[in-house]
Amino acid sequence: MDENKLIDGKKIASDLRAETAVKVEAFKKDFNKVPTLAVVLVGEDPASQVYVKTKTKMAKEIGMDVEDHFLDTSVAETDLLKLIDDLNKNDKVNGILVQLPLPSHIDSRAIIDSIDPIKDADGFHAVNVGRNSIGGELLNETFTPCTPLGCYLMLKKSVADLKGMHAVIIGRSNIVGKPMAQLLLEESCTVTIVHSKTRNIEELTRQADIVVAAVGRPLMVKKDWIKEGAIVIDVGINRVDHPENPGKTKLVGDVDFDEVLSVASAITPVPGGVGPMTIACLLKNTVDAAIRQQQ
Ligand code: NDP
């Protein structure tokens, strides 16, 4: 494998966590407080439990506090809104993360929009979405969703100037595709978003200098979808049967890594690409929130 082509998410995330740890230390000294993230998890979805555990571990490793609020699947929406209200008012809490998805009887948008925008570590509140969309100076007052922010920071490690590049983003979700498009537009990329209703996706991706795949379909993006020399960011996390170990599973992305490696100039692996960056960006957003709350 050509190691030079790998965008090492683990390493870039580790560097970002180290930078964030420095900010945590300075915050503690300056304000005699510990930056604190409140994590709200409803139900027992195993994947969500793993994410939350990892986020908590990494936050503690860089000196932050984490307050866990684990609630039963049957929790009433009013009780969840009351908890968020308490966390909004609690001066010790700087960032609030509500792990998605929420059970179907709860209106996720209502819950996200009940978070005080200055504590919205995930950057999903409508006010922060609006600020990200307007861009410019408002980017200093918003929180950018962690996964696209992580992708963006990895891209910036590969290309100093993204201006004029054609980026094709596969997927238009509010948590990845749309905010990714805004970040790249802000960098003066030409941005195309494709989705499940797009015709001839491959024709569009073949024109791209940058492809960001955020779909949730294992190994969908093949070698002949990618222009020679393009940069490929794979957001997908898909658990599939292990080809060599019957009964076992493994994680793969939305990109057929083994095929695409031969044409891409740079590519993120799964695991070890976007995943670690998402968590590092959550910690960055939480400390930035803590600092902003003191201003
Ligand atoms: P969503 O399911 O919310 O969105 C998927 C998007 O892909 C939709 O816009 C959908 O189109 C589009 N899509 C589905 N099928 C096709 C297709 N055949 N061709 C083209 N587009 C298609 O997913 P998320 O954005 O939340 O997540 C995407 C992937 O990224 C998942 O694998 C998820 O696990 C992973 N993920 C990884 C994270 C990380 O930290 N690494 C964080 C968040 C997500 P339409 O809108 O038309 O339905």
Side-chain angles (χ1 to χ4, degrees):
M1 192 204 304
D2 186 348
E3 299 284 341
N4 293 332
K5 289 188 175 185
L6 268 194
I7 304 177
D8 187 348
K10 267 194 200 160
K11 164 82 174 73
I12 303 170
S14 156
D15 292 348
L16 179 58
R17 287 199 306 275
E19 271 172 43
T20 306
V22 172
K23 285 194 204 168
V24 169
E25 255 332 286
F27 183 87
K28 286 178 176 170
K29 267 205 198 103
D30 292 347
F31 302 108
N32 203 23
K33 284 182 180 177
V34 183
T36 299
L37 175 68
V39 176
V40 179
L41 174 62
V42 180
E44 285 167 11
D45 175 53
S48 293
Q49 284 177 331
V50 172
Y51 288 143
V52 164
K53 219 168 134 189
T54 312
K55 286 167 185 172
T56 303
K57 177 174 168 277
M58 299 222 160
K60 290 190 171 162
E61 269 173 21
I62 62 160
M64 288 170 46
D65 260 357
V66 179
E67 242 189 63
D68 290 328
H69 297 270
F70 295 162
L71 309 173
D72 195 82
T73 320
S74 63
V75 68
E77 187 173 307
T78 45
D79 291 338
L80 192 49
L81 286 167
K82 168 82 176 69
L83 169 64
I84 304 283
D85 188 45
D86 290 344
L87 296 173
N88 284 339
K89 290 177 181 150
N90 183 345
D91 282 344
K92 181 172 168 7
V93 170
N94 303 111
I96 302 171
L97 165 98
V98 177
Q99 183 65 43
L100 300 176
L102 290 170
S104 56
H105 68 277
I106 292 176
D107 176 353
S108 301
R109 182 38 60 193
I111 299 300
I112 290 165
D113 285 342
S114 72
I115 298 171
D116 185 335
I118 204 165
K119 295 191 175 184
D120 174 31
D122 258 337
F124 294 159
H125 190 289
V127 164
N128 287 323
V129 172
R131 288 174 179 153
N132 281 313
S133 167
I134 294 165
E137 293 288 303
L138 288 185
L139 291 179
N140 301 321
E141 296 170 33
T142 190
F143 297 104
T144 301
C146 306
T147 300
L149 179 58
C151 296
Y152 167 79
L153 294 174
M154 285 195 289
L155 273 172
K156 291 290 275 183
K157 292 276 173 194
S158 300
V159 194
D161 188 3
L162 296 165
K163 205 183 302 139
M165 295 182 89
H166 183 200
V168 173
I169 298 163
I170 315 175
R172 56 172 163 178
S173 72
N174 288 321
I175 65 168
V176 191
K178 285 184 203 163
M180 187 74 234
Q182 281 156 357
L183 279 170
L184 294 177
L185 205 51
E186 193 68 20
E187 287 289 318
S188 297
C189 287
T190 301
V191 180
T192 303
I193 305 182
V194 302
H195 47 77
S196 70
K197 309 291 183 293
T198 304
R199 297 191 197 110
N200 302 327
I201 290 187
E202 305 93 295
E203 278 177 25
L204 295 162
T205 55
R206 271 197 290 270
Q207 296 169 35
D209 304 304
I210 298 167
V211 173
V212 180
V215 192
R217 292 176 72 93
L219 313 179
M220 182 178 92
V221 177
K222 300 292 180 190
K223 182 179 168 180
D224 62 355
W225 290 37
I226 301 295
K227 180 171 81 175
E228 185 84 37
I231 303 168
V232 179
I233 306 285
D234 190 356
V235 181
I237 300 180
N238 309 289
R239 193 163 281 286
V240 296
D241 290 339
H242 201 293
E244 286 123 40
N245 291 324
K248 299 262 182 222
T249 59
K250 67 180 250 189
L251 289 182
V252 296
D254 291 340
V255 175
D256 192 329
F257 181 88
D258 295 334
E259 275 196 11
V260 170
L261 184 66
S262 63
V263 281
S265 64
I267 183 168
T268 60
V270 176
V274 177
M277 283 304 286
T278 297
I279 297 178
C281 288
L282 171 72
L283 306 183
K284 171 190 158 19
N285 279 354
T286 304
V287 175
D288 288 348
I291 295 166
R292 262 180 232 169
Q293 285 154 30
Q294 304 301 319
Q295 289 165 352

